[in-house]
Amino acid sequence: MSDIAATSPEPAYITKLALQRLPFSEVKSAEDFFDGRYIKQRRLLILHLLRSTSTPILLQADTGLGKTTLLQQLQRQTTSDMRFYRWRNNISTLEQYQGMLKALATELASTNDEKSLANLLKERLSHLKKLNITPVLLVDDVQRLSEPEQQLLHSCLSWQDDEQQPILQAVLSMTAETKFNLVSTQWLDLPPLEFIETEAYLLHRLKSAGYQGDSPFSAKEIQYLSKASAGNLARLNALAHQQLLGIKAKTWKRTPKISLGQINWLRWSGGISLAAVIVLILIFQNRINDWISASTASQNTLELPEDISAEDNKLATVVVGDEQEKEAKMLSEREKLEALLAEIPTPASETSSAQEQEKLMPSAEAEQVVVEAEPEEIEKETPTVPGPEEQIVNNENKTIAPKQVKKLESSILDKVHDTKWILSRPAKHYTFQLMGSWDDKEVDAFIEEHGLTGDVARFTSLRDNKPWHVLIFGVYPSKQAALKASNQWSGAMNNLPTWLRRFDSVQKQIKEKGVKP
């Protein structure tokens, strides 16, 4: 993510800013990694996909946007339910197997036979899957792999356990302009750094190198660096390094100087041009007058339309196509990205952090589900005997005796729909999967934390032969309607990664793997 050579002579600003090393060189530790808005979002999405799916993930972006750094950060911040292996290029198959066995199974190979080692590796990986540990391959610049290396990678990703399920996951990265057809993948991109994050990124890299104090870059310099780099992190690192060295690129062209003689010439040339126009008008004055007269006469002549009979008065019919199809075709690339992001599930590991956010609900719209706040508990009062003139009337205008009045106490969890409701929804409608968890109490806590009501439902299905509790929200006739509704969410709900699913996929999951909670 940086073209600055670590072996270059130490610049003067290292001492001036009291830095311990070059601030904009290669990221070598977790402290150097900048977890910006889009970078963090992609990192969390990758973790969600690794936990919930078995399809490899393809991260595609232009050179210098931080693909390699993101893969390195995934490996640094490994969790207890995942183990990562960084795929190495230009090594033999035997060395690749030995490295995978050591990193994923924490075991050293006692054989040098490729076939025996592959069988041992499959056995260890299958055992990890049974322990709910996901082994993951990290393959950077997959387009640079040779043909034998690509075949070996394809072979490893095709390994399956006794239940015919893949035993290896993978995160692959490559440049955006390259096509990839090795295996079926889930595509993700990595957007450039935003202008509003440029100052924070530069200050973060400086502080990770030992800097203390405010940003040494002025607002004008930050604006120049952001515009010149176009959000490319490698280019931004190089430009910031040059800026601290005192090497500043020219951003505006110098205004040419105009001499006094040139000013006089411009003034007289304008007068000469005006005089020439007046002379031409006087010469052709008669022709101009004739043209004006002919034009006026033609404007005064009215042409009456022909009488159209009732039989011939047939209007053309304009056929309007499916508006939803037109809207789908007119979606921009960013709207397509938002649809992809919305199709990512929320992991159980992120549930607890989401519950600590503000308890804000999405605002009501015409085509989204209204999420109401949990009703306040009615205080219990000592019942009193009403007088003859006091009556209590219900919604049907029928008088009810005072002793029959009971204060209703309803729990928000009692209003959550079950699998029967889910199976009755239209198959082609859409819903959001908000979370999934091994513990159903976490689902209860999530519902109560956010006060979810309305089209809220839950179901339980088998995952790795264990009950997996899933929470869904909303019923929308189309993907566009669902995305439009979710864009109106605010607060904690807006910050939660969601998975937009069609009801037929949810119903299929219930029918094939559904169990009673």
Side-chain angles (χ1 to χ4, degrees):
M1 199 167 68
S2 176
D3 296 330
I4 303 172
T7 58
S8 59
E10 185 176 284
Y13 70 78
I14 293 286
T15 305
K16 181 180 178 180
L17 300 179
L19 302 178
Q20 300 172 359
R21 53 182 172 78
L22 287 171
F24 302 108
S25 58
E26 182 182 356
V27 175
K28 296 182 179 180
S29 65
E31 290 74 17
D32 297 340
F33 181 75
F34 178 73
D35 209 11
R37 174 187 173 189
Y38 285 127
I39 297 176
K40 181 177 181 180
Q41 189 181 54
R42 295 305 187 273
R43 181 175 60 82
L44 294 177
L45 290 176
I46 290 174
L47 292 175
H48 301 339
L49 287 172
L50 291 176
R51 289 188 174 98
S52 59
T53 67
S54 58
T55 305
I57 302 164
L58 179 63
L59 183 64
Q60 252 182 319
D62 293 333
T63 303
L65 287 181
K67 303 183 298 296
T68 302
T69 305
L70 181 55
L71 295 186
Q72 292 173 347
Q73 187 66 11
L74 288 173
Q75 190 173 16
R76 293 190 200 101
Q77 295 183 344
T78 180
T79 58
S80 59
D81 62 338
M82 291 185 190
R83 292 184 184 177
F84 295 93
Y85 170 70
R86 188 74 178 272
W87 190 271
R88 294 187 295 166
N89 297 350
N90 302 322
I91 63 174
S92 65
T93 303
L94 184 63
E95 290 175 318
Q96 203 76 259
Y97 285 159
Q98 291 174 341
M100 292 170 61
L101 186 64
K102 182 179 180 181
L104 300 177
T106 62
E107 182 177 336
L108 296 177
S110 58
T111 177
N112 291 327
D113 180 64
E114 289 185 7
K115 187 175 180 180
S116 301
L117 191 56
N119 293 332
L120 177 62
L121 188 56
K122 292 178 185 179
E123 181 181 348
R124 296 296 184 267
L125 296 179
S126 299
H127 181 68
L128 289 177
K129 291 288 289 184
K130 293 178 180 179
L131 296 176
N132 294 324
I133 298 177
T134 304
V136 183
L137 300 179
L138 300 176
V139 187
D140 194 16
D141 291 327
V142 67
Q143 77 278 3
R144 296 182 181 179
L145 297 180
S146 63
E147 185 66 25
E149 289 175 328
Q150 290 187 9
Q151 292 177 0
L152 177 60
L153 176 61
H154 182 271
S155 175
C156 293
L157 294 178
S158 63
W159 290 348
Q160 295 181 342
D161 55 15
D162 297 337
E163 299 178 357
Q164 303 302 315
Q165 295 295 325
I167 58 177
L168 267 176
Q169 251 287 27
V171 181
L172 318 173
S173 76
M174 64 189 307
T175 54
E177 64 273 8
T178 310
K179 294 183 179 180
F180 183 77
N181 299 318
L182 184 62
V183 293
S184 177
T185 59
Q186 305 176 81
W187 176 84
L188 284 180
D189 74 333
L190 191 60
L193 187 71
E194 293 182 305
F195 167 73
I196 59 176
E197 290 190 312
T198 303
E199 182 177 9
Y201 171 81
L202 296 174
L203 188 58
H204 174 82
R205 295 302 301 272
L206 285 168
K207 288 187 175 181
S208 66
Y211 177 71
Q212 297 179 355
D214 298 332
S215 174
F217 300 103
S218 65
K220 187 175 181 180
E221 289 173 338
I222 292 174
Q223 185 177 7
Y224 156 70
L225 292 174
S226 177
K227 185 176 181 180
S229 65
N232 186 290
L233 297 181
R235 199 176 306 141
L236 179 60
N237 290 337
L239 291 173
H241 175 70
Q242 294 177 3
Q243 192 78 19
L244 293 177
L245 288 174
I247 305 174
K248 300 181 180 179
K250 296 179 181 179
T251 55
W252 293 281
K253 293 183 179 180
R254 183 177 298 176
T255 304
K257 295 182 179 180
I258 302 177
S259 62
L260 182 61
Q262 290 175 327
I263 295 176
N264 292 332
W265 166 248
L266 291 174
R267 182 178 61 182
W268 284 108
S269 62
I272 294 173
S273 301
L274 179 60
V277 172
I278 294 174
V279 171
L280 291 174
I281 291 174
L282 292 176
I283 293 174
F284 297 99
Q285 183 176 4
N286 293 332
R287 294 187 179 181
I288 293 173
N289 291 337
D290 295 339
W291 176 77
I292 293 174
S293 300
S295 177
T296 304
S298 62
Q299 291 180 358
N300 293 333
T301 304
L302 299 178
E303 296 182 359
L304 297 177
E306 298 179 0
D307 185 21
I308 303 176
S309 62
E311 297 179 357
D312 296 333
N313 189 13
K314 297 180 180 179
L315 301 179
T317 303
V318 179
V319 180
V320 180
D322 186 359
E323 293 298 326
Q324 294 183 355
E325 182 178 354
K326 286 188 175 182
E327 292 178 0
K329 292 181 179 179
M330 294 174 63
L331 286 175
S332 64
E333 293 299 324
R334 182 161 293 276
E335 291 173 321
K336 293 179 180 178
L337 173 60
E338 293 177 356
L340 172 64
L341 297 180
E343 296 178 0
I344 309 303
T346 303
S349 60
E350 299 296 329
T351 305
S352 58
S353 62
Q355 293 175 354
E356 296 175 2
Q357 300 177 3
E358 298 180 14
K359 300 178 181 179
L360 299 178
M361 290 290 98
S363 58
E365 291 293 333
E367 57 187 52
Q368 81 174 69
V369 178
V370 178
V371 182
E372 302 176 350
E374 184 177 356
E376 299 181 356
E377 183 178 358
I378 303 175
E379 298 181 359
K380 297 182 179 181
E381 300 177 355
T382 304
T384 57
V385 180
E389 69 282 357
E390 296 179 358
Q391 291 180 342
I392 301 176
V393 182
N394 63 2
N395 293 336
E396 298 178 358
N397 296 326
K398 296 180 180 179
T399 303
I400 302 176
K403 293 183 179 180
Q404 297 176 353
V405 177
K406 296 182 180 179
K407 295 185 178 181
L408 301 179
E409 298 180 358
S410 60
S411 171
I412 192 173
L413 297 177
D414 296 338
K415 299 180 180 179
V416 178
H417 300 294
D418 55 10
T419 56
K420 184 178 180 181
W421 180 86
I422 298 175
L423 294 174
S424 66
R425 298 306 94 189
K428 294 185 179 181
H429 282 203
Y430 287 82
T431 187
F432 284 103
Q433 178 170 322
L434 296 184
M435 70 163 296
S437 175
W438 300 112
D439 189 358
D440 59 344
K441 294 182 179 179
E442 292 186 359
V443 180
D444 296 342
F446 185 91
I447 297 172
E448 293 176 342
E449 179 73 16
H450 296 282
L452 296 179
T453 59
D455 290 334
V456 184
R458 61 191 298 172
F459 67 92
T460 304
S461 63
L462 286 179
R463 178 180 172 188
D464 297 331
N465 294 324
K466 294 174 58 179
W468 178 254
H469 308 281
V470 180
L471 177 67
I472 63 174
F473 173 76
V475 180
Y476 306 97
S478 65
K479 183 182 293 185
Q480 288 71 35
L483 293 176
K484 183 177 180 182
S486 65
N487 287 335
Q488 303 299 324
W489 295 357
S490 59
M493 288 291 293
N494 189 39
N495 294 327
L496 291 174
T498 56
W499 183 7
L500 184 61
R501 303 181 62 182
R502 272 191 15 170
F503 268 99
D504 53 2
S505 70
V506 179
Q507 293 164 356
K508 181 181 179 182
Q509 182 177 349
I510 293 174
K511 293 177 181 178
E512 294 181 353
K513 298 184 179 181
V515 295
K516 293 184 178 180

